[in-house]
Amino acid sequence: MLTVQETKLNVFHMRCLRKILGITWEDMVTNSEVLSKAKLSTIFVMLSVRRLRWLGHVHQMEKGCIPKDLLYGQLELGSCPRGHPHLQYRDSCKRDLQSAYIDINSWEDIASKRST
């Protein structure tokens, strides 16, 4: 499931790559061909790699650091609005871990080994 922001970012990324490479809509070039010409992966892969690297970095932080507290913290009070809940950062990290075939319960062990 992609968020609206990820989709818009992908559109912007492809538009910029086409402009840089001088490809117009009249050339009828697919997005995968544009990415192969630019020797880049999709923006979704780039975002996933960045999120996983940041997740490992936050795990290495000491207790009391704001990013770590926000990642591991839970709200005690409050209610959610009606409807479909918005995708949280934690949910997108879980999705990235699953797409990388990393067990959600053991990712902290992997993150503690920096060489892995």
Side-chain angles (χ1 to χ4, degrees):
M1 178 178 149
L2 299 174
T3 63
V4 176
Q5 291 90 359
E6 287 175 335
T7 306
K8 288 182 179 183
L9 190 59
N10 185 46
V11 170
F12 176 72
H13 181 239
M14 294 308 299
R15 189 179 330 131
C16 290
L17 284 178
R18 287 176 185 274
K19 192 159 204 120
I20 290 169
L21 296 174
I23 300 171
T24 63
W25 65 273
E26 296 169 336
D27 297 334
M28 302 285 287
V29 179
T30 63
N31 288 345
S32 59
E33 291 175 14
V34 172
L35 290 170
S36 66
K37 283 182 183 181
K39 298 178 183 170
L40 292 174
S41 58
T42 63
I43 195 73
F44 307 117
V45 173
M46 288 185 214
L47 289 172
S48 176
V49 168
R50 298 283 172 109
R51 272 193 295 261
L52 290 176
R53 289 187 74 190
W54 176 248
L55 192 63
H57 181 68
V58 170
H59 176 69
Q60 296 287 336
M61 291 180 181
E62 296 178 9
K63 289 184 180 180
C65 290
I66 294 173
K68 189 166 189 168
D69 291 344
L70 289 175
L71 181 66
Y72 288 105
Q74 294 287 332
L75 291 176
E76 291 184 19
L77 300 174
S79 62
C80 296
R82 290 181 57 192
H84 191 280
H86 292 288
L87 186 67
Q88 296 177 348
Y89 183 76
R90 184 179 310 169
D91 299 330
S92 61
C93 288
K94 285 181 184 177
R95 183 188 63 191
D96 293 337
L97 288 168
Q98 288 174 344
S99 67
Y101 302 107
I102 298 172
D103 184 26
I104 295 173
N105 300 322
S106 65
W107 71 268
E108 293 171 336
D109 297 332
I110 297 170
S112 60
K113 302 172 190 166
R114 289 186 86 90
S115 61
T116 306

